[in-house]
Amino acid sequence: DSGVTQTPKHLITATGQRVTLRCSPRSGDLSVYWYQQSLDQGLQFLIQYYNGEERAKGNILERFSAQQFPDLHSELNLSSLELGDSALYFCASDTPNTEAFFGQGTRLTVV
Amino acid sequence: GQSLEQPSEVTAVEGAIVQINCTYQTSGFYGLSWYQQHDGGAPTFLSYNGLDGLEETGRFSSFLSRSDSYGYLLLQELQMKDSASYFCAVKRAGSYQLTFGKGTKLSVIP
């Protein structure tokens, strides 16, 4: 158990819909990262938050947004979903001088 | 920007040794990390090189040469359970953004 909790584990939704993925980081970790992994693909960095503030942005679509709350949990919002958004979405957390720990991911299927 | 290159696939025999290379083009990073990911699972941390040289953790070793922009992961006494994808990653100085290579799929065969 990495200590990073992601919910839900699986999500099936229709095109055009909006979903919210949730991540609770390890106790004490201030940074939260979101990654997208499509079938047989690498980990595409989406966005990073540090202590509530956006720290870095990667290849995140405008239809996607995220935030980190005062209790440090984070949510990734995906809207106007398309078939191509079907993927595994991982959250990771760390402190600046430690390795990142990943949650078990949310498998999103858009039908 | 940052980019990390690794071979897409490697096949090795059970009990043998395999080396997975990672070359990178980046400026200002804290070190090179390696992660393992089994199919459908979460990436898990394997090793970290903050300084040049070799780090050993059991059957796994990792190496970094900043002057050559190069690192590798060495897996010894391969076991079937080592079949997985292996990713190198760097943490960018300042933002601490963790950027991954595209991963190397290792297949261990009997």
Side-chain angles (χ1 to χ4, degrees):
Chain A
D1 182 6
S2 67
V4 179
T5 304
Q6 285 188 250
T7 56
K9 286 188 170 53
H10 301 277
L11 200 49
I12 301 175
T13 190
T15 54
Q17 294 299 304
R18 170 190 169 95
V19 297
T20 298
L21 313 183
R22 181 188 170 101
C23 170
S24 294
R26 284 193 323 152
S27 177
D29 286 354
L30 299 179
S31 255
V32 169
Y33 307 80
W34 286 97
Y35 292 87
Q36 181 193 55
Q37 187 174 39
S38 301
L39 192 63
D40 293 333
Q41 297 295 309
L43 290 152
Q44 294 295 317
F45 171 71
L46 295 177
I47 198 164
Q48 176 198 3
Y49 280 83
Y50 180 83
N51 202 21
E53 300 290 326
E54 182 183 305
R55 176 64 69 92
K57 211 172 217 183
N59 299 321
I60 187 166
L61 299 172
E62 285 191 8
R63 300 183 284 109
F64 296 1
S65 65
Q67 54 184 327
Q68 187 179 29
F69 295 86
D71 67 353
L72 300 178
H73 90 271
S74 177
E75 292 180 357
L76 179 68
N77 300 297
L78 315 176
S79 62
S80 303
L81 284 167
E82 302 174 359
L83 295 177
D85 298 327
S86 296
L88 263 170
Y89 291 85
F90 286 105
C91 164
S93 74
D94 71 2
T95 58
N97 296 320
T98 68
E99 67 269 25
F101 290 83
F102 282 77
Q104 289 303 307
T106 292
R107 183 175 293 280
L108 174 66
T109 303
V110 182
V111 296
Chain B
Q2 301 176 122
S3 68
L4 300 97
E5 297 291 330
Q6 18 178 165
S8 58
E9 293 183 10
V10 172
T11 300
V13 178
E14 190 177 14
I17 299 173
V18 70
Q19 178 173 313
I20 299 173
N21 298 322
C22 174
T23 57
Y24 58 85
Q25 292 183 335
T26 186
S27 57
F29 71 101
Y30 290 111
L32 187 69
S33 301
W34 290 91
Y35 287 78
Q36 179 192 59
Q37 185 184 30
H38 287 97
D39 280 348
T44 56
F45 172 77
L46 285 179
S47 185
Y48 173 75
N49 292 78
L51 302 173
D52 283 9
L54 191 68
E55 292 286 338
E56 297 180 84
T57 310
R59 295 188 295 114
F60 296 169
S61 302
S62 59
F63 172 83
L64 174 63
S65 168
R66 288 176 186 262
S67 60
D68 295 322
S69 297
Y70 163 75
Y72 66 72
L73 178 70
L74 191 75
L75 297 84
Q76 304 181 67
E77 301 172 17
L78 281 172
Q79 302 176 9
M80 300 300 290
K81 67 179 182 180
D82 297 328
S83 293
S85 291
Y86 293 84
F87 296 87
C88 58
V90 294
K91 189 174 281 191
R92 179 183 287 180
S95 71
Y96 300 102
Q97 174 188 331
L98 194 59
T99 300
F100 287 82
K102 293 190 183 302
T104 299
K105 185 165 186 173
L106 171 65
S107 298
V108 180
I109 58 176

